[in-house]
Each structure stands twice: as C-alpha cells, then as structure tokens.
Amino acid sequence: MTPSPNLTHGRHPERAVADMETVRTILDGERICHVAFVVDGWPYAVPTIHARDGDRVLIHGSTLSRMLGGLASGIPVCVTVTTVDGIVCARSAFNHSMNYRCAMVFGTATPIRDMEEKLAALRTIVEHVLPGRWAEVRPPKPTELRATEIVALPLNQVTAKVRDAGPIDTPADLKQRVWAGVLPVERGFAPPVMVPADVADLPLPPSVVALLGVKSR
C-alpha cells in the first residue's frame, strides 16, 4: 500500500492554504510544473508543461519518456507549481525572503488511452499554454497521438503555501538605517522572434495578439 503524504506544514504553518480555489488558481497561473518521482532508487524532479482539467492535472510527453512511463505505471508522484511574486529585502541578509504562491499535488496518475479523451486532454494542454492556438493549427494525427503519453493526476491530496507580506526584521535590526522593502516581480511577453521567413508576411494570429495585447498588423 502506498503511504499517504504528510500534508502538514512544519515551517511557517500560518502560510498554509487549504482553500481549493487558491490551489486551482496557482495551478492555472503557471505553464510549467516540476514532477518529482523515484525510479530505480534515484529521485528525479523534471520540469514540464501541465494543465488543470477540472479537478485533475494533465501531464504529457513521449511514450518513450522515463518520467511518463513511470507515472503511467502508477508510481507515487509529487507535482509542484510555484509563482514568485516578489523579492523581499530585509535589513539583514538572514531575513531576506520571497513572496510566493506554491501548490503541491500528491498521488498516482492514471494514463489516458482512449483516443478521443487523449485528443481532448491534449487540446486542454495546448489551450492552457496559449489560449486560442488549437483552432489555428493542424490537429494531431493518430500516429502522433499514439506517440504521446498523457496522464491525469487527481487533486485529492494537495497542499498550498502563500507568502504575501513585507520584510520581517528583528527588533535590533529595525534600529538599522538600511533600506528594506518588496520588489514585485512582473512578467510579460515580448514580440515574436525567430519567425520562419516563409510566414513572416502573415499577420499575427489571434492567439498571439491576445497574449501580447496588441493590434494585429
């Protein structure tokens, strides 16, 4: 029997979040997760694309992938998604920190083998990365679907942690005239690069226009 993960927070339990809506928001807010698992006695933590589909997380890759093969076989897995919101500058090096939101999903994944369900799952992943893109490109061929492994991890065992505060200094350090504060992290997308010459004259597709927030030329 697979042991249950320890979902309690030892350090800073006040940052723990049990609200599932917060967990879903964290999962939806990033395009990359880290998948942690053990194969042949060695731990691995692999970054990969994910997408949430209701109350499950979808992960895909090649059928030849060691990670996907392990997950499809039912080995225990931990999927972690983290968003960094700011650098917290304190008056001492020891008390520097970061504002962040992090969600961890534990369990065993189930492979999706039905071709129609696999196609729908792949569409969910593509749309998570770039909304609207699926309708602009060629859909996968049956051979491509057969070469793709997709697994679903249920959101049954989850935990989340959030830090959203300013610097926390000791009373002694508060007497120091040292600048302190939070540097918010802002992210965005730049204009496309490395566009193949044969399509350079085409207007930006709606999916890219929407992501950039610009007008199509």
Side-chain angles (χ1 to χ4, degrees):
M1 178 181 295
T2 302
S4 297
N6 183 357
L7 302 180
T8 60
H9 296 271
R11 285 279 296 162
H12 293 293
E14 75 281 1
R15 298 176 186 172
V17 178
D19 176 45
M20 278 301 300
E21 191 57 38
T22 299
V23 172
R24 297 186 189 101
T25 299
I26 294 171
L27 296 176
D28 293 347
E30 297 292 333
R31 293 171 171 82
I32 291 291
C33 69
H34 281 81
V35 181
F37 56 97
V38 175
V39 172
D40 297 330
W42 282 98
Y44 297 85
V46 180
T48 190
I49 298 170
H50 74 282
R52 184 180 64 86
D53 180 28
D55 285 329
R56 63 180 187 171
V57 173
L58 303 175
I59 297 171
H60 83 300
S62 169
T63 53
L64 302 178
S65 163
R66 172 172 49 192
M67 178 185 75
L68 268 297
L71 267 58
S73 71
I75 62 174
V77 62
C78 172
V79 174
T80 302
V81 175
T82 303
T83 297
V84 176
D85 294 317
I87 300 174
V88 181
C89 302
R91 292 169 174 82
S92 69
F94 180 79
N95 285 316
H96 275 62
S97 186
M98 285 192 178
N99 282 341
Y100 64 89
R101 289 164 289 145
C102 178
M104 301 175 73
V105 183
F106 299 86
T108 55
T110 301
I112 297 176
R113 297 286 162 72
D114 177 81
M115 295 296 277
E116 289 300 320
E117 188 179 355
K118 181 182 283 190
L119 184 65
L122 192 58
R123 175 174 181 169
T124 298
I125 295 171
V126 171
E127 287 294 294
H128 172 64
V129 175
L130 182 55
R133 188 58 176 167
W134 184 266
E136 299 170 347
V137 297
R138 173 183 64 79
K141 299 177 181 178
T143 54
E144 294 171 332
L145 280 178
R146 286 192 291 269
T148 303
E149 185 79 86
I150 303 180
V151 298
L153 179 64
L155 301 182
N156 293 335
Q157 296 174 304
V158 301
T159 183
K161 215 170 185 180
V162 174
R163 188 194 194 281
D164 183 18
I168 301 174
D169 286 297
T170 64
D173 287 330
L174 288 174
K175 299 176 183 179
Q176 304 295 320
R177 289 284 295 169
V178 177
W179 185 89
V182 176
L183 301 176
V185 175
E186 296 183 356
R187 295 177 299 171
F189 291 90
V193 298
M194 291 185 282
V195 179
D198 61 314
V199 295
D201 62 323
L202 296 179
L204 295 178
S207 62
V208 176
V209 171
L211 196 67
L212 293 176
V214 299
K215 294 181 179 180
S216 179
R217 58 180 176 83

